[in-house]
Amino acid sequence: METEKAFLQLENYIGGKFVPAKSYMNSYDPSTGEVYCKVPDSDNEEVGAAVNAAKAAFPIWSSWSPQDRSRVMNKLADLIENHLEEFAQAESKDQGKTVTFARTVDIPRSAYNFRFFASSILHHTTECTQMDHLNCMNYTVRTPIGVAGLISPWNLPLYLLTWKIAPAIACGNTVVAKPSEMTSVTAWMMCKFLSEAGVPSGVVNVVFGTGPRAGEALVCHPDVPIISFTGSTVTAQRIIEKSAPYCKKLSLELGGKNPAIVFEDANLEECVATTVRSSFSNQGEICLCTSRIYVQSSIYEEFLQKFVEATRKWQVSVPSDPTASMGALISEAHLAKVRSYIKKALSEGATINCGEFVDTLNIPLNNQGGYFMLPTVITGLKEESCCMQEEIFGPVTCVVPFDTEEEVIDKANGVKYGLAATIWTKDVGRTHRVAKRLQAGLVWTNCWLVRDLNLPFGGMKASGLGREGAKDSYEFFTEVKTVTIKH
């Protein structure tokens, strides 16, 4: 029987030091279902200590030039890249994703987040106007705000945590970050390199714990004027309620129910390959994943056949398998939730074309307790079905025929979410017409997940508030003031 000493035990990072927690909770390896790590279950007092450290560091850090902050951030990126394989192995074990995905997507992007904002902070300009008839000149300046509270999710742990930390500190803020309690290891590993990179003590503080306990303490702290959150819409609603008395500045990147629209002139070979990837990458646990596929009736049967064939080749295996396309889902509870949607679809008379309850999943004996499932394709659902309306956040997608452009736009917009959409067509005019009318913050045409970090990222409706990106993050993490001089 394993002892407590056999588990990796994390500590909070406060004021440049690792600090033991008062209490801990279990973290599970999704590929085995076994406890492998102990994570701090931080409370209000521990969050308060982190806020105090960040507040004390703010005057010095905010006085540093953008060039000096940029130099430190590039050094941190170097250190992450130098230890890429260690980070990738840890991210895979903690989250359940394949090592290949962590090695080629998560960790390289985490390092690049620091490089990108280290560069962009050097190139922003401010506004200036003249009022000659009044002998006045006006200009704007942007200043850092203070302590930023950053709350990140479990699906892309270090990738999305650094997407928040990097712009916040580039702008001169200090931060208290709370990663998901289910995927905390790579954040803890990153903290080991902060001092070596030259980040002053207290500039970056990381407190581990649950949302209701540590997250709420951070949101409600009076000395944290700005909150950036990525996660569920339900949690965001509570953040809005709890932060309202303090009039905090909020950035909320939330869920999606993203449609792919396949017109009859689409390049089916490229469309099928990309849409399998957009539906099932990272076990379907990406807010941008495709979960509704609308296919024009004239090519519906051909698309469905090719798509099901391609989905069956999307290999589910242990995360260390280099041939695996997909690993394990994050938790036993999440696996049960995703499967429950498939059962609901069956109860509504839908057809499971491949995947759960249809095909056989072969997993090694040592991983039988892991949270694995097959990528699943569903047809025969009505628009009002919960599988068509609610975010499943797993390897499940629904395929539906349509006849006209007008019809498919109405269907694509017929959910409460508005994060992303994909259009497949060779008709440039149609691309512009449909993209303009889709209620989505991002619209890809004949591709998926192509990102220029200079441009805005975020959703409409229940998919969030605000945007992230070079200019948008700069504006969010700073306050603007107008200065008028009469001469």
Side-chain angles (χ1 to χ4, degrees), residues 91-281:
E91 199 76 292
S92 171
K93 187 177 183 67
D94 208 23
Q95 203 274 338
K97 68 181 72 216
T98 65
V99 174
T100 299
F101 195 90
R103 184 186 292 133
T104 58
V105 178
D106 287 69
I107 308 308
R109 172 61 190 274
S110 299
Y112 183 66
N113 284 338
F114 284 112
R115 291 209 191 284
F116 177 81
F117 285 106
S119 173
S120 71
I121 195 63
L122 303 178
H123 303 292
H124 293 291
T125 59
T126 58
E127 300 165 292
C128 179
T129 64
Q130 289 183 223
M131 303 171 72
D132 291 337
H133 64 294
L134 295 177
N135 293 326
C136 286
M137 182 182 74
N138 310 287
Y139 66 92
T140 60
V141 292
R142 284 196 168 270
T143 56
I145 298 171
V147 179
L150 312 177
I151 303 174
S152 58
W154 49 258
N155 59 325
L156 299 165
L158 193 63
Y159 176 135
L160 290 177
L161 181 66
T162 55
W163 178 238
K164 297 181 183 300
I165 292 176
I169 65 172
C171 291
N173 301 286
T174 55
V175 306
V176 176
K178 192 208 82 68
S180 169
E181 69 275 16
M182 291 189 282
T183 52
S184 298
V185 173
T186 50
W188 172 75
M189 291 171 63
M190 180 194 69
C191 292
K192 296 180 179 182
F193 298 111
L194 292 173
S195 178
E196 185 178 349
V199 179
S201 298
V203 171
V204 175
N205 305 273
V206 180
V207 180
F208 303 102
T210 65
R213 190 167 153 98
E216 192 155 311
L218 184 57
V219 167
C220 295
H221 199 291
D223 292 331
V224 180
I226 182 169
I227 299 289
S228 177
F229 168 78
T230 298
S232 73
T233 301
V234 171
T235 302
Q237 290 167 344
R238 184 162 181 82
I239 289 173
I240 293 170
E241 292 171 3
K242 289 292 181 179
S243 65
Y246 305 98
C247 297
K248 299 195 179 197
K249 198 174 185 182
L250 300 178
S251 174
L252 307 173
E253 198 280 286
L254 312 178
K257 191 66 180 172
N258 310 307
I261 301 173
V262 185
F263 288 99
E264 59 190 357
D265 64 337
N267 180 324
L268 277 190
E269 184 178 347
E270 289 183 7
C271 173
V272 168
T274 302
T275 307
V276 168
R277 186 169 62 89
S278 72
S279 299
F280 307 123
S281 284

Side-chain angles (χ1 to χ4, degrees), residues 335-347:
L335 175 63
K337 173 195 165 187
V338 174
R339 282 178 171 161
S340 74
Y341 278 98
I342 304 172
K343 292 175 182 176
K344 289 176 185 176
L346 284 170
S347 71

Side-chain angles (χ1 to χ4, degrees), residues 58-119:
F58 177 71
I60 295 176
W61 181 247
S62 61
S63 70
W64 280 33
S65 70
Q67 289 76 11
D68 286 338
R69 295 197 294 263
S70 176
R71 174 180 47 78
V72 167
M73 291 172 64
N74 276 311
K75 176 62 175 176
L76 182 55
D78 289 342
L79 291 167
I80 293 172
E81 287 175 345
N82 292 343
H83 296 82
L84 187 148
E85 188 62 24
E86 298 164 49
F87 275 102
Q89 293 287 341
E91 199 76 292
S92 171
K93 187 177 183 67
D94 208 23
Q95 203 274 338
K97 68 181 72 216
T98 65
V99 174
T100 299
F101 195 90
R103 184 186 292 133
T104 58
V105 178
D106 287 69
I107 308 308
R109 172 61 190 274
S110 299
Y112 183 66
N113 284 338
F114 284 112
R115 291 209 191 284
F116 177 81
F117 285 106
S119 173

Side-chain angles (χ1 to χ4, degrees), residues 420-474:
T422 307
I423 303 169
W424 289 92
T425 183
K426 296 173 185 175
D427 187 330
V428 176
R430 174 189 284 153
T431 295
H432 290 301
R433 285 195 310 273
V434 176
K436 186 174 182 179
R437 294 184 61 191
L438 287 174
Q439 295 168 357
L442 302 97
V443 180
W444 287 289
T445 302
N446 302 327
C447 62
W448 176 72
L449 208 58
V450 177
R451 290 273 290 114
D452 180 346
L453 302 190
N454 285 291
L455 300 182
F457 175 88
M460 302 177 180
K461 303 192 289 188
S463 288
L465 295 174
R467 295 292 186 270
E468 299 169 321
K471 182 173 181 287
D472 296 271
S473 294
Y474 175 64

